[in-house]
Amino acid sequence: MFSKALLDRNGRKIEYREETLTGIRCRICPSREERGLNDLRIPEALEINKSCPFCPENIEIDTPCFENGERIHVGETTTFPNIYPFGENHIVTVITKEHCPHEITENQILDSLKGQFLGLKEKKGFASINWNYLSSAGASMIHPHLQGFSDGIPTYLTSLYINRSKEYFDRSGSNYWLSVTESEKESDRYLFGDEITWCANPVPIGEKEIRGYLPFCSFNDFEEFIPEIAGGIRRVMEIYKNAGNHALNMAIRFGKDEHEMYFRAFVSMIARINPNPESISDSAFMERLHFEPVVMTVPEDLKKINSRSQKY
Ligand SMILES: [Zn+2]
């Protein structure tokens, strides 16, 4: 499923890896962690914004409604159209009533995913559910929120995976995702889960990337798996916390009914550098312009962190 090559420069190891299906490449450079850029910095350092439109006293006034004149409420979560969309049917789900919570619970994640499902289920586009958690992960609002959209065309990476999966199926007669789930389950990157398998991605597209391989393709089949997906996301957050990362990005990308033969939806989560006064970002030219992420953590090492993260 991937190839690798190792380079040693004065004892500093650089590992090049390439995903066979897509040709996506990354470089793993554990010694870069010695720079100590991700010292523990947590959200308390962030300024509380009294005029936050996502806080309970403002949300029903400052956020827009859907065409039916309503917002979607599930548990303590609220879902509404994004005022500044960058996609079709772009919606926001505010996850917590609390502006800057110390913990986000499995139930809050579950209710947020339900809110996203309800907000997007009538749409016929390519759906994805996404999360920028904390400012250093690109969140413009500190108040935790998911963003989903359902676009006429898939994003670049989703279309790459769908197209290459079709080519793989045409060549081999089998579904790439079933093969990859089986082989990753047996690998030293397997972390947890059975029906939904959570594994460190061997060719990470970001720091400590973990993928949840979902047993369905289409957004139409998402609803029944929401509780289990929410549990997995919460557990990955715990793994990141144990590794010293609070900030993260997440994307759940879905196919459509007609891709069922050769594609499967999957969750992709990456850890991000913690919010810090210097505002150093861990996304730079290699990540954004060469689409060849430089990460520090060897994917197989996430197994050790996972074994320390059983309880939360
Ligand atoms: Zn707020």
Side-chain angles (χ1 to χ4, degrees):
M1 303 297 177
F2 71 101
S3 58
K4 54 184 179 181
L6 197 66
L7 203 68
D8 193 313
R9 284 287 173 269
N10 304 319
R12 296 190 186 278
K13 290 186 174 34
I14 305 166
E15 190 172 325
Y16 297 77
R17 292 195 185 188
E18 180 171 331
E19 186 181 56
T20 311
L21 184 78
T22 57
I24 289 173
R25 291 200 293 255
C26 76
R27 302 169 190 218
I28 302 166
C29 312
S31 65
R32 288 174 67 79
E33 204 149 30
E34 292 165 16
R35 295 171 304 160
L37 296 179
N38 197 32
D39 292 346
L40 195 60
R41 284 154 178 170
I42 49 176
E44 282 94 330
L46 300 166
E47 190 185 338
I48 303 287
N49 182 353
K50 289 200 174 64
S51 61
C52 170
F54 293 173
C55 276
E57 59 272 29
N58 301 324
I59 193 164
E60 302 292 325
I61 303 158
D62 291 348
T63 64
C65 291
F66 290 106
E67 280 168 9
N68 65 2
E70 293 178 7
R71 299 173 190 85
I72 296 167
H73 296 97
V74 183
E76 69 178 270
T77 73
T78 306
T79 300
F80 47 85
N82 193 329
I83 289 187
Y84 304 105
F86 52 76
E88 288 176 71
N89 307 302
H90 190 164
I91 62 171
V92 173
T93 298
V94 174
I95 301 170
T96 57
K97 288 204 183 300
E98 208 178 329
H99 178 74
C100 187
H102 282 274
E103 292 278 339
I104 294 178
T105 67
E106 186 174 327
N107 264 339
Q108 288 166 331
I109 296 168
L110 190 155
D111 290 343
S112 306
L113 294 176
K114 272 189 191 163
Q116 287 275 305
F117 177 74
L118 294 172
L120 295 174
K121 70 174 183 172
E122 306 294 337
K123 312 301 178 190
K124 299 294 173 222
F126 285 88
S128 69
I129 296 175
N130 309 279
W131 192 4
N132 302 325
Y133 183 47
L134 300 180
S135 51
S136 55
S140 54
M141 311 278 296
I142 190 68
H143 203 131
H145 59 286
L146 300 181
Q147 299 185 59
F149 51 91
S150 180
D151 245 331
I153 54 164
T155 63
Y156 171 76
L157 200 55
T158 301
S159 74
L160 184 68
Y161 273 114
I162 290 176
N163 294 339
R164 293 294 166 84
S165 300
K166 168 123 186 10
E167 288 169 22
Y168 183 92
F169 181 78
D170 290 343
R171 261 195 329 268
S172 68
S174 57
N175 184 314
Y176 172 79
W177 300 93
L178 302 184
S179 314
V180 99
T181 306
E182 278 312 302
S183 71
E184 287 304 285
K185 229 179 209 172
E186 300 302 316
S187 79
D188 46 7
R189 290 173 295 277
Y190 170 75
L191 300 173
F192 60 91
D194 183 26
E195 191 174 28
I196 298 175
T197 308
W198 297 82
C199 305
N201 188 22
V203 187
I205 57 172
E207 184 63 26
K208 299 181 181 68
E209 188 190 6
I210 293 174
R211 289 193 173 178
Y213 298 103
L214 303 179
F216 61 91
C217 169
S218 167
F219 186 70
N220 295 329
D221 298 320
F222 173 48
E223 189 174 21
E224 69 171 289
F225 294 98
I226 287 177
E228 202 180 335
I229 295 170
I233 291 170
R234 182 61 186 80
R235 189 153 164 188
V236 172
M237 291 177 78
E238 197 64 18
I239 293 174
Y240 288 168
K241 210 171 77 179
N242 263 282
N245 296 95
H246 292 263
L248 61 88
N249 293 107
M250 181 194 79
I252 313 177
R253 65 188 89 240
F254 302 90
K256 293 188 180 188
D257 292 343
E258 60 262 37
H259 306 126
E260 179 70 31
M261 286 292 278
Y262 51 85
F263 186 64
R264 287 291 177 274
F266 62 92
V267 184
S268 178
M269 295 176 73
I270 58 171
R272 298 293 302 270
I273 199 165
N274 293 323
N276 63 82
E278 293 86 14
S279 295
I280 298 169
S281 170
D282 57 356
S283 287
F285 66 89
M286 281 301 281
E287 288 75 20
R288 294 298 179 249
L289 300 179
H290 297 276
F291 198 50
E292 196 163 320
V294 180
V295 302
M296 297 174 288
T297 304
V298 178
E300 290 74 18
D301 285 351
L302 279 174
K303 202 171 179 66
K304 291 176 214 153
I305 303 171
N306 177 47
S307 65
R308 299 200 301 264
S309 311
Q310 300 297 330
K311 290 184 186 156
Y312 58 82

Coordinates of all heavy atoms in Angstrom, one line a residue, residues 63-134:
T63 N -26.6 34.5 14.4 CA -26.3 33.6 13.4 C -27.5 33.4 12.5 O -28.7 33.6 12.9 CB -25.9 32.2 13.9 OG1 -27.1 31.7 14.7 CG2 -24.7 32.3 14.9
P64 N -27.3 33.1 11.2 CA -28.5 33.0 10.3 C -29.3 31.7 10.5 O -28.8 30.8 11.1 CB -27.8 33.0 8.9 CG -26.4 32.5 9.1 CD -26.0 32.9 10.5
C65 N -30.5 31.7 9.9 CA -31.3 30.5 9.9 C -31.3 29.8 8.5 O -30.9 30.4 7.5 CB -32.8 30.9 10.2 SG -33.0 31.4 11.9
F66 N -31.7 28.6 8.5 CA -32.0 27.9 7.2 C -33.2 28.5 6.5 O -33.9 29.4 7.1 CB -32.2 26.4 7.4 CG -30.9 25.7 7.8 CD1 -30.7 25.3 9.1 CD2 -29.9 25.5 6.9 CE1 -29.5 24.7 9.5 CE2 -28.7 24.8 7.3 CZ -28.5 24.4 8.6
E67 N -33.5 28.1 5.3 CA -34.6 28.7 4.5 C -35.9 28.5 5.2 O -36.8 29.3 5.0 CB -34.6 28.0 3.1 CG -33.6 28.6 2.2 CD -33.4 27.8 0.9 OE1 -34.2 26.9 0.7 OE2 -32.5 28.1 0.1
N68 N -36.0 27.5 6.0 CA -37.3 27.3 6.8 C -37.4 28.2 8.0 O -38.4 28.1 8.8 CB -37.5 25.8 7.2 CG -36.4 25.4 8.2 OD1 -35.6 26.2 8.6 ND2 -36.5 24.1 8.6
G69 N -36.4 29.1 8.1 CA -36.5 30.1 9.2 C -36.0 29.5 10.6 O -36.2 30.2 11.6
E70 N -35.4 28.3 10.5 CA -35.0 27.7 11.8 C -33.5 27.3 11.8 O -32.9 27.3 10.7 CB -35.8 26.5 12.1 CG -37.3 26.8 12.4 CD -38.1 25.6 12.6 OE1 -37.6 24.5 12.7 OE2 -39.4 25.8 12.7
R71 N -33.0 27.1 13.0 CA -31.7 26.5 13.2 C -31.9 25.0 13.7 O -33.0 24.7 14.1 CB -30.8 27.2 14.2 CG -30.5 28.7 13.8 CD -29.8 29.5 14.9 NE -29.8 30.9 14.5 CZ -30.8 31.8 14.8 NH1 -31.9 31.4 15.4 NH2 -30.7 33.0 14.4
I72 N -30.9 24.2 13.6 CA -31.1 22.8 14.0 C -30.4 22.7 15.4 O -29.3 23.0 15.6 CB -30.4 21.8 13.0 CG1 -31.1 21.9 11.7 CG2 -30.4 20.4 13.6 CD1 -30.3 21.2 10.5
H73 N -31.2 22.2 16.4 CA -30.7 22.0 17.7 C -30.7 20.5 18.0 O -31.7 19.8 17.9 CB -31.6 22.7 18.7 CG -31.6 24.2 18.5 ND1 -32.6 24.8 17.8 CD2 -30.7 25.1 18.9 CE1 -32.3 26.1 17.8 NE2 -31.2 26.3 18.4
V74 N -29.5 20.0 18.4 CA -29.4 18.6 18.9 C -28.6 18.7 20.2 O -27.4 19.1 20.2 CB -28.7 17.7 17.9 CG1 -28.6 16.2 18.4 CG2 -29.3 17.7 16.5
G75 N -29.2 18.3 21.3 CA -28.5 18.4 22.6 C -28.2 19.9 22.8 O -29.0 20.8 22.6
E76 N -26.9 20.2 23.1 CA -26.5 21.6 23.3 C -25.9 22.2 22.1 O -25.5 23.3 22.1 CB -25.6 21.7 24.5 CG -24.2 21.1 24.3 CD -23.3 21.4 25.5 OE1 -22.6 22.4 25.5 OE2 -23.3 20.5 26.4
T77 N -26.0 21.4 20.9 CA -25.4 21.9 19.7 C -26.4 22.7 18.9 O -27.6 22.4 18.9 CB -24.8 20.8 18.8 OG1 -25.9 20.1 18.2 CG2 -24.0 19.8 19.7
T78 N -25.9 23.7 18.1 CA -26.7 24.4 17.2 C -26.1 24.5 15.8 O -24.9 24.7 15.7 CB -26.9 25.9 17.7 OG1 -27.3 25.8 19.1 CG2 -27.8 26.7 16.9
T79 N -26.9 24.2 14.8 CA -26.4 24.2 13.4 C -27.1 25.2 12.6 O -28.4 25.4 12.7 CB -26.6 22.8 12.8 OG1 -25.9 21.8 13.6 CG2 -26.1 22.7 11.4
F80 N -26.4 25.9 11.7 CA -27.0 27.0 10.9 C -26.1 27.2 9.7 O -24.9 26.7 9.6 CB -27.1 28.3 11.7 CG -25.8 28.6 12.5 CD1 -24.8 29.3 11.9 CD2 -25.6 28.2 13.8 CE1 -23.6 29.5 12.6 CE2 -24.5 28.4 14.5 CZ -23.4 29.1 13.9
P81 N -26.5 28.0 8.6 CA -25.7 28.2 7.5 C -24.5 29.1 7.8 O -24.6 30.0 8.7 CB -26.6 29.0 6.5 CG -28.0 28.7 7.0 CD -27.9 28.5 8.5
N82 N -23.4 28.9 7.2 CA -22.2 29.7 7.4 C -22.4 31.1 6.7 O -22.8 31.1 5.5 CB -20.9 29.0 6.7 CG -19.6 29.6 7.2 OD1 -19.6 30.8 7.4 ND2 -18.6 28.8 7.3
I83 N -22.1 32.1 7.4 CA -22.3 33.5 6.9 C -21.2 33.7 5.8 O -21.4 34.5 4.9 CB -22.2 34.5 8.0 CG1 -23.4 34.5 8.9 CG2 -22.0 35.9 7.4 CD1 -23.4 35.6 9.9
Y84 N -20.1 33.1 6.0 CA -18.9 33.3 5.0 C -18.6 32.0 4.3 O -17.5 31.4 4.6 CB -17.7 33.8 5.7 CG -18.0 35.1 6.5 CD1 -18.1 35.1 7.9 CD2 -18.1 36.3 5.9 CE1 -18.3 36.3 8.6 CE2 -18.3 37.5 6.6 CZ -18.4 37.4 7.9 OH -18.7 38.6 8.6
P85 N -19.5 31.5 3.4 CA -19.3 30.2 2.9 C -18.1 30.1 1.9 O -17.9 31.1 1.2 CB -20.6 29.9 2.2 CG -21.2 31.2 1.8 CD -20.7 32.1 2.9
F86 N -17.4 29.0 1.8 CA -16.5 28.8 0.7 C -16.8 27.5 0.0 O -16.0 26.9 -0.7 CB -15.0 28.8 1.2 CG -14.7 27.9 2.3 CD1 -14.5 26.5 2.1 CD2 -14.4 28.4 3.6 CE1 -14.2 25.7 3.2 CE2 -14.1 27.5 4.6 CZ -14.0 26.2 4.4
G87 N -18.1 27.1 0.1 CA -18.6 25.9 -0.6 C -20.1 26.0 -0.6 O -20.7 26.8 0.0
E88 N -20.7 25.1 -1.5 CA -22.2 25.0 -1.5 C -22.7 24.4 -0.3 O -22.1 23.5 0.2 CB -22.6 24.2 -2.7 CG -22.4 24.8 -4.1 CD -22.7 23.8 -5.2 OE1 -23.9 23.5 -5.4 OE2 -21.8 23.3 -5.8
N89 N -23.8 24.9 0.2 CA -24.5 24.4 1.4 C -23.5 24.3 2.6 O -23.4 23.2 3.2 CB -25.0 23.0 1.1 CG -25.9 23.0 -0.2 OD1 -26.9 23.7 -0.2 ND2 -25.6 22.2 -1.2
H90 N -22.8 25.3 2.8 CA -21.7 25.3 3.8 C -22.4 25.7 5.2 O -23.0 26.7 5.4 CB -20.7 26.4 3.5 CG -19.5 26.4 4.3 ND1 -18.3 27.1 3.9 CD2 -19.2 25.8 5.5 CE1 -17.4 26.9 4.9 NE2 -17.9 26.2 5.8
I91 N -22.3 24.7 6.1 CA -23.0 24.9 7.4 C -22.0 24.8 8.6 O -20.9 24.3 8.4 CB -24.1 23.9 7.6 CG1 -23.6 22.4 7.6 CG2 -25.2 24.0 6.5 CD1 -24.6 21.4 8.0
V92 N -22.5 25.4 9.7 CA -21.6 25.4 10.9 C -22.4 24.7 12.0 O -23.6 25.0 12.2 CB -21.3 26.9 11.3 CG1 -20.6 26.9 12.7 CG2 -20.5 27.6 10.2
T93 N -21.7 23.9 12.8 CA -22.4 23.4 14.0 C -21.5 23.8 15.2 O -20.4 23.4 15.4 CB -22.4 21.8 14.0 OG1 -23.3 21.5 12.9 CG2 -23.0 21.3 15.3
V94 N -22.1 24.6 16.1 CA -21.4 25.0 17.4 C -21.6 23.8 18.3 O -22.7 23.4 18.6 CB -22.0 26.3 17.9 CG1 -21.4 26.6 19.3 CG2 -21.7 27.4 16.9
I95 N -20.5 23.3 18.8 CA -20.5 22.0 19.5 C -20.8 22.2 21.0 O -21.5 21.3 21.6 CB -19.0 21.4 19.4 CG1 -18.7 21.2 18.0 CG2 -18.9 20.1 20.2 CD1 -17.2 20.8 17.7
T96 N -20.4 23.3 21.6 CA -20.6 23.4 23.1 C -21.3 24.8 23.4 O -21.2 25.7 22.6 CB -19.3 23.4 23.8 OG1 -18.5 24.5 23.3 CG2 -18.5 22.1 23.6
K97 N -22.0 24.8 24.5 CA -22.5 26.1 25.0 C -21.3 26.9 25.6 O -21.2 28.1 25.4 CB -23.5 25.9 26.1 CG -24.9 25.4 25.5 CD -26.0 25.7 26.4 CE -27.4 25.2 25.9 NZ -27.7 25.6 24.5
E98 N -20.3 26.2 26.2 CA -19.2 26.9 26.8 C -18.3 27.4 25.7 O -18.0 26.8 24.6 CB -18.4 25.8 27.6 CG -17.6 26.4 28.7 CD -16.9 25.4 29.5 OE1 -17.4 24.2 29.6 OE2 -15.8 25.7 30.1
H99 N -17.8 28.6 25.9 CA -17.0 29.4 24.9 C -15.7 28.7 24.6 O -15.2 28.5 23.4 CB -16.7 30.8 25.3 CG -15.9 31.6 24.4 ND1 -16.4 32.1 23.2 CD2 -14.6 32.0 24.5 CE1 -15.5 32.8 22.6 NE2 -14.4 32.8 23.3
C100 N -15.0 28.2 25.7 CA -13.7 27.7 25.5 C -13.5 26.5 26.5 O -12.8 26.6 27.5 CB -12.6 28.8 25.8 SG -10.9 28.3 25.4
P101 N -14.2 25.4 26.2 CA -14.2 24.3 27.2 C -12.8 23.6 27.3 O -12.1 23.5 26.4 CB -15.2 23.3 26.6 CG -15.2 23.6 25.2 CD -14.9 25.1 25.0
H102 N -12.6 23.1 28.5 CA -11.4 22.3 28.8 C -11.5 20.9 28.1 O -10.5 20.4 27.6 CB -11.1 22.1 30.3 CG -10.6 23.3 30.9 ND1 -9.2 23.5 30.9 CD2 -11.2 24.3 31.5 CE1 -9.0 24.7 31.6 NE2 -10.2 25.2 31.9
E103 N -12.7 20.4 28.1 CA -12.9 19.1 27.5 C -14.1 19.1 26.6 O -15.0 19.9 26.8 CB -13.2 18.1 28.6 CG -12.1 17.8 29.6 CD -11.1 16.7 29.0 OE1 -11.5 15.9 28.1 OE2 -10.0 16.7 29.5
I104 N -14.0 18.4 25.5 CA -15.2 18.2 24.7 C -15.6 16.7 24.8 O -14.8 15.8 24.6 CB -14.9 18.6 23.2 CG1 -14.6 20.1 23.2 CG2 -16.0 18.2 22.3 CD1 -14.2 20.6 21.8
T105 N -16.9 16.5 25.1 CA -17.3 15.1 25.4 C -17.7 14.4 24.2 O -18.0 14.9 23.1 CB -18.5 15.1 26.4 OG1 -19.6 15.6 25.7 CG2 -18.2 15.9 27.7
E106 N -17.7 13.0 24.4 CA -18.1 12.2 23.2 C -19.6 12.5 22.8 O -19.9 12.6 21.6 CB -18.1 10.7 23.7 CG -18.3 9.7 22.6 CD -18.1 8.3 23.1 OE1 -17.2 8.1 24.0 OE2 -18.8 7.4 22.7
N107 N -20.4 12.8 23.8 CA -21.8 13.2 23.5 C -21.9 14.5 22.7 O -22.8 14.6 21.9 CB -22.6 13.3 24.8 CG -23.4 12.0 25.1 OD1 -23.6 11.2 24.2 ND2 -23.7 11.8 26.4
Q108 N -21.1 15.4 23.1 CA -21.1 16.7 22.3 C -20.7 16.5 20.9 O -21.3 17.1 20.0 CB -20.2 17.7 23.0 CG -20.8 18.3 24.3 CD -19.8 19.0 25.2 OE1 -18.6 18.7 25.1 NE2 -20.3 19.9 26.0
I109 N -19.7 15.6 20.7 CA -19.3 15.3 19.3 C -20.4 14.6 18.6 O -20.7 14.9 17.4 CB -18.0 14.5 19.3 CG1 -16.8 15.3 19.9 CG2 -17.6 14.0 17.9 CD1 -15.6 14.5 20.3
L110 N -21.0 13.6 19.3 CA -22.1 12.8 18.7 C -23.2 13.8 18.2 O -23.7 13.7 17.1 CB -22.6 11.8 19.7 CG -23.6 10.7 19.3 CD1 -23.4 9.5 20.2 CD2 -25.0 11.2 19.3
D111 N -23.7 14.7 19.1 CA -24.8 15.6 18.8 C -24.4 16.5 17.6 O -25.2 16.8 16.8 CB -25.2 16.4 20.0 CG -25.9 15.5 21.1 OD1 -26.3 14.4 20.7 OD2 -25.9 16.0 22.2
S112 N -23.1 16.9 17.6 CA -22.7 17.8 16.5 C -22.7 17.1 15.2 O -23.1 17.7 14.2 CB -21.2 18.3 16.7 OG -21.1 18.8 18.0
L113 N -22.3 15.8 15.2 CA -22.3 15.1 13.9 C -23.7 14.9 13.4 O -24.0 14.9 12.3 CB -21.6 13.7 14.1 CG -20.1 13.8 14.3 CD1 -19.5 12.4 14.6 CD2 -19.3 14.4 13.2
K114 N -24.7 14.6 14.4 CA -26.1 14.5 14.1 C -26.6 15.8 13.5 O -27.3 15.8 12.5 CB -26.9 14.2 15.3 CG -27.0 12.7 15.6 CD -28.1 12.5 16.7 CE -28.0 11.1 17.2 NZ -28.7 10.9 18.5
G115 N -26.2 16.9 14.1 CA -26.6 18.3 13.5 C -26.1 18.4 12.1 O -26.8 18.9 11.2
Q116 N -24.8 18.0 11.9 CA -24.3 18.1 10.5 C -25.1 17.2 9.5 O -25.4 17.6 8.4 CB -22.8 17.7 10.5 CG -21.9 18.8 11.2 CD -21.5 19.8 10.2 OE1 -20.9 19.6 9.1 NE2 -21.7 21.1 10.5
F117 N -25.4 16.0 10.0 CA -26.1 15.1 9.1 C -27.5 15.7 8.8 O -27.9 15.7 7.6 CB -26.3 13.7 9.8 CG -27.2 12.8 9.0 CD1 -26.6 12.2 7.9 CD2 -28.5 12.5 9.3 CE1 -27.4 11.3 7.1 CE2 -29.3 11.7 8.6 CZ -28.7 11.1 7.4
L118 N -28.2 16.2 9.8 CA -29.5 16.8 9.5 C -29.4 18.0 8.6 O -30.3 18.2 7.7 CB -30.2 17.2 10.8 CG -30.5 16.0 11.8 CD1 -31.0 16.5 13.1 CD2 -31.6 15.1 11.1
G119 N -28.3 18.8 8.7 CA -28.2 20.0 7.9 C -27.8 19.7 6.5 O -28.0 20.5 5.6
L120 N -27.2 18.5 6.2 CA -26.7 18.2 4.9 C -27.5 17.1 4.2 O -27.3 16.9 3.0 CB -25.2 17.8 4.9 CG -24.3 18.9 5.4 CD1 -22.9 18.3 5.5 CD2 -24.2 20.1 4.4
K121 N -28.4 16.4 4.9 CA -28.9 15.1 4.3 C -29.8 15.3 3.1 O -29.9 14.5 2.3 CB -29.7 14.3 5.4 CG -31.0 15.0 5.8 CD -31.7 14.0 6.8 CE -33.1 14.6 7.1 NZ -33.9 13.7 7.9
E122 N -30.4 16.5 3.0 CA -31.3 16.7 1.8 C -30.5 17.1 0.6 O -31.0 17.2 -0.6 CB -32.3 17.9 2.1 CG -33.2 17.7 3.3 CD -34.1 16.5 3.2 OE1 -34.4 16.1 2.1 OE2 -34.5 15.9 4.2
K123 N -29.2 17.5 0.8 CA -28.4 18.0 -0.3 C -27.8 16.8 -1.1 O -27.6 15.8 -0.6 CB -27.2 18.9 0.2 CG -27.6 19.9 1.2 CD -28.7 20.9 0.6 CE -29.1 21.9 1.7 NZ -30.3 22.6 1.2
K124 N -27.6 17.1 -2.4 CA -27.2 15.9 -3.3 C -25.7 16.0 -3.7 O -25.3 15.2 -4.5 CB -28.1 15.9 -4.5 CG -29.6 15.8 -4.2 CD -29.9 14.4 -3.6 CE -31.3 14.3 -3.1 NZ -31.4 13.6 -1.8
G125 N -24.9 16.9 -3.1 CA -23.6 17.0 -3.5 C -22.6 16.1 -2.9 O -23.0 15.1 -2.3
F126 N -21.3 16.4 -2.9 CA -20.3 15.7 -2.2 C -20.1 16.3 -0.8 O -19.7 17.4 -0.7 CB -19.0 15.7 -3.0 CG -18.9 14.9 -4.2 CD1 -19.4 15.4 -5.4 CD2 -18.5 13.6 -4.2 CE1 -19.4 14.6 -6.6 CE2 -18.5 12.8 -5.3 CZ -18.9 13.3 -6.5
A127 N -20.5 15.5 0.2 CA -20.5 16.0 1.5 C -19.2 15.7 2.2 O -18.5 14.7 2.0 CB -21.6 15.3 2.3
S128 N -18.8 16.7 3.0 CA -17.7 16.5 4.0 C -18.0 17.2 5.3 O -18.7 18.2 5.3 CB -16.4 16.9 3.4 OG -16.3 18.3 3.3
I129 N -17.5 16.7 6.4 CA -17.6 17.3 7.7 C -16.3 17.6 8.2 O -15.4 16.7 8.2 CB -18.4 16.4 8.6 CG1 -19.8 16.2 8.1 CG2 -18.5 16.9 10.1 CD1 -20.7 15.2 8.9
N130 N -16.0 18.8 8.6 CA -14.6 19.2 8.9 C -14.5 20.0 10.2 O -15.5 20.5 10.7 CB -14.2 20.1 7.8 CG -14.4 19.5 6.4 OD1 -13.6 18.7 6.0 ND2 -15.5 19.9 5.8
W131 N -13.3 20.0 10.8 CA -13.1 20.6 12.1 C -11.8 21.3 12.1 O -10.8 20.6 11.9 CB -13.3 19.6 13.2 CG -13.4 20.1 14.6 CD1 -13.5 21.4 15.0 CD2 -13.5 19.4 15.8 NE1 -13.6 21.5 16.3 CE2 -13.6 20.3 16.9 CE3 -13.5 18.0 16.1 CZ2 -13.7 19.8 18.2 CZ3 -13.6 17.6 17.4 CH2 -13.7 18.5 18.4
N132 N -11.7 22.6 12.4 CA -10.5 23.2 12.8 C -10.6 23.5 14.3 O -11.4 24.3 14.7 CB -10.3 24.6 12.1 CG -10.3 24.4 10.6 OD1 -9.8 23.5 10.0 ND2 -10.9 25.4 9.9
Y133 N -9.8 22.8 15.1 CA -10.0 23.0 16.5 C -8.8 23.8 17.1 O -7.7 23.3 17.0 CB -10.1 21.6 17.2 CG -10.3 21.8 18.7 CD1 -11.3 22.7 19.2 CD2 -9.6 21.1 19.7 CE1 -11.5 22.8 20.6 CE2 -9.8 21.2 21.0 CZ -10.7 22.1 21.5 OH -10.9 22.3 22.8
L134 N -9.1 24.9 17.6 CA -8.2 25.9 18.1 C -7.5 26.7 17.0 O -7.4 26.3 15.8 CB -7.1 25.3 19.0 CG -7.7 24.6 20.3 CD1 -6.6 24.0 21.2 CD2 -8.6 25.5 21.1

